[in-house]
Amino acid sequence: MSIEDTILSIDNQLSTSFNEIADIEVENFFGCYLLNSLNPACKGRTYIGFTVDPHRRIKQHNKGKDFGGAKKTSGKGPWEMVLIVHGFPNEITALRFEWAWQNPEQSIRLKHLNLSKNKRKCTLQFKLKILAEMLCIGPWARLPLTVRWLSDKKQVLERMPPLHMPITSGPINVSKQTNTIPSKRKKTSKQTLPINDDSRCFSSCSLCNNIIQPPMHVSCPKCSISFHIICLSKYFLKNTEEHYIIPIDGSCPSCKKSLLWGEIIQNKYTNRSCSLPTVTHSNESDDDDDVIQ
């Protein structure tokens, strides 16, 4: 097969992946977004934030701080949400990504860029350049992330992300509820749903045949067969030359379906989410988001 045929094959696979992603509803959504001001008086102003509901969040930013928008964006709109990066396994991972994207000159992961805070770039292109770099370095390069363009004015990233990270466009269908571990930035409802962990407490690992304690339990999202998280990780990494602890992807030992490691972890949190409070994110990242002046 020629190089051209290989590239065409990859493009076709990615295009199919994009269509599938656009059609499904995303549960337990955690995303980091980039806003751009359309106000002529605030030309060049951008804003980076975290959200579990991009549709609600952009409305809040455009309505102002009295309606849940951040102080730094209030009165400087209208704003457009240029893109959003989603697929983070949990809120903490997304917030760490958000902080590094906001503060690249302070991030240890981005020290090799030799950025100066005093000469910080102020353009949308610069923020996209930082994003492209972040997607290609650890630990983010090993996450099952998706880059989704939400603006009609789609641009090109300077560096292509790893092949397991699709780049797509169009609106996203987000599940109405997100179950997560409560943090200071959220209001937690008092209601919790019952959970029955008896089946998982007595399940055995399909790789080592030993009993699995619930904290170490993961299952295949396709066939629901159970494993120790360490056993499955070692199975996925058995043909990897580099010494990683966390794999990127692999095939289920039972159903042989291809899986991203992030899918497995998200499935684990989804299965246990009914034991956690259902939370409402009111003012996401109001105090921690960064705005380019």
Side-chain angles (χ1 to χ4, degrees), residues 16-27:
T16 302
S17 178
F18 295 168
N19 293 332
E20 291 173 354
I21 291 171
D23 291 337
I24 65 173
E25 181 180 53
V26 180
E27 297 181 357

Side-chain angles (χ1 to χ4, degrees), residues 138-268:
W140 306 300
R142 302 185 63 80
L143 296 177
L145 302 178
T146 295
V147 179
R148 182 180 292 272
W149 293 99
L150 300 173
S151 170
D152 292 335
K153 304 172 185 177
K154 296 187 290 293
Q155 303 187 44
V156 178
L157 297 179
E158 288 192 8
R159 293 184 63 183
M160 291 299 295
L163 287 178
H164 68 274
M165 292 186 190
I167 300 177
T168 186
S169 63
I172 185 166
N173 188 14
V174 177
S175 179
K176 297 301 182 182
Q177 292 184 342
T178 293
N179 295 295
T180 183
I181 300 172
S183 68
K184 293 181 180 179
R185 65 174 65 219
K186 297 186 290 292
K187 297 178 181 179
T188 306
S189 67
K190 295 181 180 180
Q191 296 182 348
T192 58
L193 299 175
I195 186 170
N196 186 353
D197 265 343
D198 290 344
S199 60
R200 285 200 297 172
C201 287
F202 294 100
S203 59
S204 60
C205 176
S206 297
L207 289 171
C208 71
N209 296 320
N210 291 324
I211 298 298
I212 311 173
Q213 295 298 322
M216 302 301 293
H217 178 274
V218 292
S219 60
C220 172
K222 310 294 184 183
C223 66
S224 300
I225 197 163
S226 298
F227 307 97
H228 285 111
I229 189 170
I230 296 176
C231 290
L232 188 59
S233 174
K234 289 180 178 179
Y235 180 84
F236 278 10
L237 292 169
K238 65 181 180 180
N239 295 322
T240 303
E241 295 181 1
E242 298 185 64
H243 299 288
Y244 289 115
I245 298 176
I246 301 175
I248 292 178
D249 55 16
S251 298
C252 173
S254 176
C255 66
K256 307 302 180 184
K257 297 289 182 63
S258 296
L259 301 169
L260 290 176
W261 184 254
E263 287 182 284
I264 296 168
I265 300 304
Q266 288 172 344
N267 184 60
K268 173 181 174 64

Side-chain angles (χ1 to χ4, degrees), residues 105-137:
E105 72 285 340
Q106 299 180 45
S107 173
I108 296 176
R109 305 286 182 182
L110 298 170
K111 284 179 64 176
H112 62 283
L113 297 179
N114 297 317
L115 299 173
S116 171
K117 188 174 182 179
N118 294 331
K119 297 181 180 180
R120 194 172 178 185
K121 303 296 182 181
C122 305
T123 63
L124 178 65
Q125 287 70 28
F126 177 74
K127 281 304 184 186
L128 294 176
K129 178 180 179 179
I130 296 299
L131 172 63
E133 186 69 24
M134 291 175 63
L135 295 174
C136 294
I137 61 176

Side-chain angles (χ1 to χ4, degrees), residues 11 19 38 43 48 97 139 208-209 216 221 229 235 281-282 291:
D11 287 342
N19 293 332
L38 301 178
K43 186 177 181 180
I48 292 170
F97 186 94
C208 71
N209 296 320
M216 302 301 293
I229 189 170
Y235 180 84
H281 295 244
S282 54
V291 63

Side-chain angles (χ1 to χ4, degrees), residues 3 49-50 78-79 81 91 97 182 185 245:
I3 296 177
F50 158 84
W79 295 89
M81 192 172 286
E91 179 190 25
F97 186 94
R185 65 174 65 219
I245 298 176

